[in-house]
C-alpha cells in the first residue's frame, strides 16, 4: 500500500490532525517528501519563517521508547557538535513525540527543522565527500564510546543473529527475489564464513557500539559548506565498521567502491585510530549489509527503493559478491 494514493491521503489526514501539536495552523501546506517505511512530509505554515519536516513512523517496528532514545542521541550529538543534523522541533506540550490513530494502528510522529542540501551523486565527485563522511563516522563513534546513556535508553541491535537468525529485523534472506537453489547454497556458505569471522573479531567496546547504521547517500545532505546527516531511524548497536558498509548501500559492486573505501578510511583515521584487523573486516561488513538489504528488498518489494535496486537483479549481484567474498577470505 505504500505507493497507493489512498494510503498517502489517509496518512496526510492523520498528520493534519496533530499539526496543532507543533503550533501549526490550519493554513499549513503539507506535501510528501519520501515514503519507504516511514513517511516524511514537509509542512509549510505561512505564519512560520521556516518549514518543518514531520516523520510519520511505520507501526510495529520501533516502540515509543526506542524512538525517544533515537531522539536523545540526536540531541546529544548536536550538543557535542559531533555531526550536522537537523534540530528536533518540540511540541507545544514540551515533548518531541505525538501520535494519531490509523485504523487499529498507532502512528508516532516527530518533527525536525528543515535542513538545506541534496543527496550526493554516485560518481567520481563522491570521493572527496567520503573523506568527510569518514571523519563524521569517526566522530559519531567517539561520541558513543564516551556518552552516558539516559535511563531507559533502548535501541535495536544489528548483529549476525538479528540480521540472519530465525527472527531477523528485515526479513529472511532465503526469501530473496529470484534466489536459485545454487545461489542459496552460495549465500549460506558465505554466511557460515561470515559468522566465524565475526565471532573471531568480537564485540569489544572499541569496535562495537551505537552506530547510525544507515549512512547511505539518501541520508546525506551535501552542501557547499559541509555534509549533513539525517534519518537516525535505524541507529542501534553494531560494529563501527558496519557504518562504512551502510554508506555504500546499493553501490557494493560499483568500480568506485575501492576508492570510496580508501577515502572513508583516510577521513576516519584523521579522527579515530583503526587497527589492521578493523580494516580487514570491511569486506565482511559489506557482505553483511548486502545480504541484509537483499532480505529487506524481498520483504519490501512494493517500495520504490526496492524497484530502484533492481529486485531480482539485486539478488543476482548479492550472489556474485558472495562468491567473490568466499574466494578472498
Amino acid at each position: 500500500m505504500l505507493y497507493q494514493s489512498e494510503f498517502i491521503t489517509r496518512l496526510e489526514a492523520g498528520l493534519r490532525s496533530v499539526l496543532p501539536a507543533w503550533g501549526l495552523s490550519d493554513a499549513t501546506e503539507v506535501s510528501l517528501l519520501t515514503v519507504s517505511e516511514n513517511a516524511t512530509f514537509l509542512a509549510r505554515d505561512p505564519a512560520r519563517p521556516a518549514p518543518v519536516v514531520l516523520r510519520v513512523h511505520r507501526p510495529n517496528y520501533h516502540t515509543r521508547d526506542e524512538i525517544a532514545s533515537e531522539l536523545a542521541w540526536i540531541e546529544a550529538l548536536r550538543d557535542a557538535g559531533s555531526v550536522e543534523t537537523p534540530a528536533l522541533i518540540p511540541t507545544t506540550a514540551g515533548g518531541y513525540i505525538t501520535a494519531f490513530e490509523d485504523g487499529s494502528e498507532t502512528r508516532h510522529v516527530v518533527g525536525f527543522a528543515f535542513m538545506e542540501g541534496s543527496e550526493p551523486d554516485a560518481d567520481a565527485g563522491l570521493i572527496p565527500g567520503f573523506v568527510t563522511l569518514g571523519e563524521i563516522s569517526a566522530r559519531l563513534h567517539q561520541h558513543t564510546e564516551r556518552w552516558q546513556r539516559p535511563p531507559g535508553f533502548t535501541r535495536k541491535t544489528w548483529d549476525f543473529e538479528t540480521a540472519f537468525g530465525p527472527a531477523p529485523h528485515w526479513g529472511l534472506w532465503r526469501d530473496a527475489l529470484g534466489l536459485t537453489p545454487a545461489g542459496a547454497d552460495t549465500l549460506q556458505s558465505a554466511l557460515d564464513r561470515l559468522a566465524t569471522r565475526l565471532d573471531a573479531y568480537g564485540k569489544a567496546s572499541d569496535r562495537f557500539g551505537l552506530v547510525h547504521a544507515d549512512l547511505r547517500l539518501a541520508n546525506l545532505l551535501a552542501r557547499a559548506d559541509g555534509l549533513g546527516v539525517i534519518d537516525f531511524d535505524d541507529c542501534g548497536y553494531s560494529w563501527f565498521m558496519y557504518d562504512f558498509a551502510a554508506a555504500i548501500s546499493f553501490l557494493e559492486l560499483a568500480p568506485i567502491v575501492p576508492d570510496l573505501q580508501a577515502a572513508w578510511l583516510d577521513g576516519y583515521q584523521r579522527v579515530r585510530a583503526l587497527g589492521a584487523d578493523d580494516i580487514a573486516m570491511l569486506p565482511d561488513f559489506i557482505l553483511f549489509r548486502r545480504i541484509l538489504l537483499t532480505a529487506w528488498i524481498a520483504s519490501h518489494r512494493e517500495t520504490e527503493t526496492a524497484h530502484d535496486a533492481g529486485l531480482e537483479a539485486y539478488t543476482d549481484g548479492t550472489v556474485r559478491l558472495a562468491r567473490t567474498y568466499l574466494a578472498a577470505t
Side-chain angles (χ1 to χ4, degrees):
M1 294 181 60
L2 286 175
Y3 290 93
Q4 293 178 3
S5 60
E6 296 87 350
F7 172 77
I8 301 301
T9 299
R10 194 179 76 232
L11 280 191
E12 183 178 329
L15 179 62
R16 284 193 170 279
S17 73
V18 297
L19 290 181
W22 286 277
L24 295 167
S25 73
D26 291 341
T28 298
E29 177 186 337
V30 175
S31 57
L32 181 70
L33 286 176
T34 61
V35 57
S36 179
E37 292 179 300
N38 299 331
T40 306
F41 293 84
L42 188 67
R44 296 183 181 273
D45 187 341
R48 296 175 70 114
V52 176
V53 175
L54 297 174
R55 184 175 70 192
V56 181
H57 280 259
R58 59 198 180 276
N60 307 315
Y61 185 55
H62 289 312
T63 66
R64 187 183 178 95
D65 286 345
E66 287 175 325
I67 296 169
S69 297
E70 172 205 350
L71 303 184
W73 192 32
I74 290 172
E75 274 202 300
L77 287 167
R78 283 180 51 81
D79 288 346
S82 298
V83 63
E84 289 187 65
T85 193
L88 304 172
I89 304 296
T91 67
T92 55
Y96 290 114
I97 306 171
T98 190
F100 63 85
E101 297 306 311
D102 178 26
S104 62
E105 298 170 330
T106 298
R107 298 270 183 174
H108 293 107
V109 187
V110 297
F112 299 91
F114 178 77
M115 177 179 278
E116 297 285 351
S118 59
E119 177 180 340
D121 292 326
D123 55 24
L126 192 58
I127 294 171
F130 260 62
V131 176
T132 302
L133 184 60
E135 294 174 342
I136 291 170
S137 302
R139 291 199 299 271
L140 290 173
H141 301 161
Q142 279 186 333
H143 183 273
T144 191
E145 285 182 291
R146 64 176 182 265
W147 183 45
Q148 184 66 44
R149 314 285 191 268
F153 187 92
T154 178
R155 291 296 298 176
K156 287 178 170 56
T157 296
W158 299 98
D159 61 10
F160 192 89
E161 181 68 14
T162 63
F164 310 118
H169 290 325
W170 279 1
L172 297 167
W173 66 266
R174 287 190 176 275
D175 292 337
L177 303 181
L179 183 64
T180 65
D185 289 344
T186 298
L187 293 187
Q188 184 62 67
S189 296
L191 285 168
D192 291 344
R193 181 83 52 85
L194 178 61
T196 298
R197 288 176 57 81
L198 289 174
D199 186 61
Y201 184 58
K203 296 180 178 178
S205 61
D206 64 343
R207 57 186 55 172
F208 191 97
L210 187 59
V211 300
H212 183 284
D214 199 20
L215 287 171
R216 60 193 178 99
L217 300 187
N219 291 330
L220 304 177
L221 292 175
R223 307 185 311 279
D225 62 344
L227 188 66
V229 174
I230 60 173
D231 196 358
F232 283 70
D233 183 55
D234 288 314
C235 72
Y237 295 98
S238 191
W239 293 274
F240 293 148
M241 293 300 95
Y242 176 68
D243 265 345
F244 171 74
I248 60 165
S249 294
F250 307 112
L251 301 174
E252 302 91 349
L253 296 172
I256 199 175
V257 166
D259 292 329
L260 295 179
Q261 178 174 309
W264 188 86
L265 287 171
D266 178 13
Y268 193 101
Q269 293 184 102
R270 295 178 187 183
V271 176
R272 184 177 182 273
L274 290 173
D277 51 349
D278 301 310
I279 297 170
M281 287 296 293
L282 286 174
D284 300 270
F285 292 116
I286 292 171
L287 182 71
F288 183 111
R289 174 70 171 185
R290 176 80 187 209
I291 299 177
L292 185 62
L293 284 175
T294 305
W296 184 91
I297 287 170
S299 60
H300 297 75
R301 65 190 70 191
E302 77 281 8
T303 65
E304 184 177 325
T305 302
H307 283 265
D308 287 346
L311 300 175
E312 290 87 352
Y314 194 77
T315 299
D316 293 342
T318 303
V319 173
R320 293 199 305 274
L321 183 67
R323 291 195 192 106
T324 302
Y325 172 82
L326 286 167
T329 56

